[in-house]
């Protein structure tokens, strides 16, 4: 492993390592995790790098504990992160919901592997898209981003921390086994070129501080433990002061606000990469490692005279409906290749409402969808 | 009396979330009182203290006190506390748990927190039952006792929380009761001052869900049982096993100096920094 990575120079990195670099560039100072394939290298690199930067790495007894520690550290002021894979992600769901309700910024990486259960531990999959959105119990919004290249792993991790801090919410990054372990030469940006956002802290006299008070952003400033703004943090539905409540006039505005803070900034959160879409008749919608195959397939389709285009989804949740809709109205057909039985394609169909034809290309055997497979389908469409 | 009023005004969120949720006669209020008196004696400011709890009757305790307070998920209080302490070691982190919270769902976190030896204080309120959910048996419900999920009597054997903590490697382990409230003040104060993972098991009573179902009487009778059954550790050493039959010990069971996690981690930081500097 590279001990020393110079930003601004070409380096040979795998996705998992690039994620660590991104996290550190974004100011991450706390990592708690539990080893699991294929996410382990993130823990390993963090255990080497964080202490040298004055931060803290801890290997907890399980993923439940890791997520708890991540929340605790964030409440005490650290930008904190954990990384896991499917089975561990399942265990984290309880505390992930806590972070949503208590509005605790943190980043959770799920390097997807084949499932369900112990599944195919060393094989690629995209089976956790719906779990990332709906894995917890109850109603809450969440932000989920998908990475497809090593450089993405760096950039999107920085972005994830920024969104978490800006909107006081956990942000999930979905990676997959292929993205995680593909080594490639990339150039990382110079620290000066990286935008780093920190949470807004209260600046009024402590007696005036109302920790969950609504404002125009829907995101209250966040006091941290030890800074003089004492308040109560709970996973219970709470009033503006953070205390448990059962009053309708306090429950409804609270739940509405946590949804509003994400909806209101929809376009700040939405990230897609569009390629050759301007005049496309056939659209491929892909994310993660499949997006790389799709990009190649679309380029080759163009060479053969098929007007294909690619929309690569980076933000999976909230689902980029506003960006998809104009295309759905216009194109002849949409193909959604993915490494599951059809999770994002289901979402595309849901918003499509009969506007165009939506086809799926699914693979669940733990191997990648190749550019050729997508190309063949594009030509047939 | 003036002293008590002063402490109430200083520490309780009296203008906010009272009355509390506990049943009349519950021991939790006595623990809250002890905790406040102990913290007051240590001279810690309110901003320096973080009170973390899990779920259940004990989990509601932090709501009432004006510190940085964190009410977590069931059984996970120690994991949140670990994060808080590691992110800011200068904070005094005190964790309040119930017996089910700490030793059933949180049993794994409990033994690992003890093993890891972070400078945390864990106060475990042991009332032998799940009170808030209505009286189901917990890992400390005695063999043969009755509970809503053990109406044919409990056939499981109970944990000794304090002894579990000793074995798992805690720096300090004490046991007290809510009957011996003055002693409890001292035990909690000592636990807060202790450098390392310090556990105080507090034997308390749930007359509503446990005492009533097992014909142990009301709070007065249950407190009397604590008085009659508790033996100070110093005295217990001079007693025969026959005399100790059916009794439990109170006082400080273990007090030892072990390396503290945050100090050890500081060494790791220095090693890592030196290695990075060399690579540069």
């Amino acid at each position: 492993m590279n001990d020393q990575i110079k930003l601004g120079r070409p380096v040979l990195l795998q996705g998992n390592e690039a994620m660590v670099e991104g996290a550190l560039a974004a100011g991450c100072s706390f990592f708690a995790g539990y080893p699991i394939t294929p996410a382990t290298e993130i823990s390993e690199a963090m255990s080497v790098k964080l202490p040298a930067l004055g931060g803290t790495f801890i290997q907890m007894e399980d993923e439940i504990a890791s997520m708890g520690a991540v929340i605790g550290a964030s409440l005490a002021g650290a930008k904190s992160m954990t990384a896991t894979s499917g089975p561990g992600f399942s265990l984290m769901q309880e505390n992930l919901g806590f972070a949503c309700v208590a509005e605790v910024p943190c980043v959770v990486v799920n390097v997807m592997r084949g499932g369900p259960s112990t599944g195919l531990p060393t094989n690629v999959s995209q089976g956790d898209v719906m779990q990332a959105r709906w894995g917890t119990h109850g109603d809450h919004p969440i932000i989920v981003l998908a990475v497809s290249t090593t450089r993405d792993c760096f950039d999107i991790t920085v972005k994830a921390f920024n969104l978490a801090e800006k909107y006081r919410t956990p942000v999930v990054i979905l990676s997959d086994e292929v993205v995680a372990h593909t080594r490639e030469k990339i150039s990382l940006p110079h620290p000066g070129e990286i935008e780093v956002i920190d949470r807004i802290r209260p600046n009024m006299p402590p007696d005036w501080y109302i920790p969950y008070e609504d404002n125009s952003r829907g995101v209250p400033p966040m006091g941290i433990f030890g800074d003089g703004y004492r308040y109560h943090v709970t996973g219970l539905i709470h009033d503006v002061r953070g205390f448990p409540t059962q009053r309708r006039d306090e429950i409804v505005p609270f739940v509405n606000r946590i949804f509003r803070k994400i909806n209101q900034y929809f376009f700040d959160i939405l990230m897609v990469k569009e390629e050759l879409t301007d005049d496309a008749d056939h659209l491929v919608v892909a994310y993660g490692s499949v997006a790389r195959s799709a990009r190649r397939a679309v380029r080759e389709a163009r060479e053969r005279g098929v007007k294909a285009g690619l929309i690569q989804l980076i933000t999976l949740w909230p689902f980029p409906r506003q960006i998809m809709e104009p295309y759905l109205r216009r194109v002849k057909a949409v193909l959604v290749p993915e490494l599951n039985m059809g999770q994002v394609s289901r979402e595309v169909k849901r918003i499509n409402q009969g506007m165009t034809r939506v086809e799926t290309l699914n693979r669940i055997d733990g191997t990648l969808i190749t550019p050729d497979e997508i190309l063949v389908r594009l030509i047939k469409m | 009396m003036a002293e008590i009023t002063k402490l109430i005004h200083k520490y309780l969120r009296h203008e906010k979330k009272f009355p509390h949720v506990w049943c009349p006669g519950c021991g939790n209020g006595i623990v809250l009182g002890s905790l406040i008196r102990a913290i007051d004696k240590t001279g810690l400011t309110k901003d320096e203290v973080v009170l973390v709890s899990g779920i259940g009757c004990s989990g509601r305790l932090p709501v009432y006190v004006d510190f940085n307070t964190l009410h977590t998920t069931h059984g996970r209080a120690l994991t949140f506390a670990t994060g808080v302490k590691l992110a800011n070691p200068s904070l005094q982190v005190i964790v309040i748990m119930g017996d089910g919270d700490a030793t059933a769902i949180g049993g794994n976190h409990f033994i690992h927190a003890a093993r890891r030896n972070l400078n945390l204080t864990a106060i475990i309120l042991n009332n032998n039952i799940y009170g808030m959910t209505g009286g189901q048996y917990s890992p400390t419900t005695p063999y043969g006792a009755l509970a809503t999920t053990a109406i044919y009597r409990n056939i499981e054997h109970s944990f000794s929380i304090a002894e579990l903590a000793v074995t798992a490697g805690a720096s300090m382990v004490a046991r007290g009761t809510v009957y011996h409230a003055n002693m409890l003040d001292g035990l909690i104060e000592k636990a807060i001052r202790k450098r390392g993972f310090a556990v105080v098991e507090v034997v308390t009573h749930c007359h509503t869900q446990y005492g009533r179902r097992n014909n142990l009487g009301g709070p007065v009778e249950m407190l009397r049982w604590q008085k009659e059954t508790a033996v100070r550790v110093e005295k217990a050493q001079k007693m025969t096993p026959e005399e100790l039959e059916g009794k439990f010990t109170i006082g400080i069971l273990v007090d030892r100096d072990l390396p503290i996690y945050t100090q050890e981690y500081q060494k790791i930081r220095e090693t890592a920094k030196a290695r990075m500097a060399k690579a540069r």
Side-chain angles (χ1 to χ4, degrees), chain A residues 192-232:
Chain A
E193 299 162 20
I194 302 166
E195 186 193 23
V196 174
I197 296 169
D198 296 328
R199 64 191 70 167
I200 293 176
R201 305 269 299 272
N203 56 8
M204 65 287 280
D207 286 349
W208 297 5
Y209 179 51
I210 302 172
Y212 290 99
E213 190 180 30
D214 198 1
N215 56 24
S216 60
R217 296 177 66 241
V219 186
M222 184 175 175
I224 60 173
F225 289 168
D227 70 354
Y229 293 90
R230 294 186 303 277
Y231 69 110
H232 185 62

Side-chain angles (χ1 to χ4, degrees), chain A residues 3-4 52, chain B residues 269-280:
Chain A
D3 268 10
Q4 205 61 42
Chain B
R269 287 201 186 102
E270 279 149 28
T271 311
K273 272 178 197 157
R275 182 175 151 178
M276 292 286 164
K278 217 171 157 188
R280 199 170 291 141

Side-chain angles (χ1 to χ4, degrees), chain A residues 85-105:
Chain A
S85 185
F89 192 54
S90 295
L91 292 181
M92 286 178 183
Q93 294 293 344
E94 176 196 38
N95 283 340
L96 191 61
F98 182 98
C100 291
V101 166
E103 297 179 77
V104 184

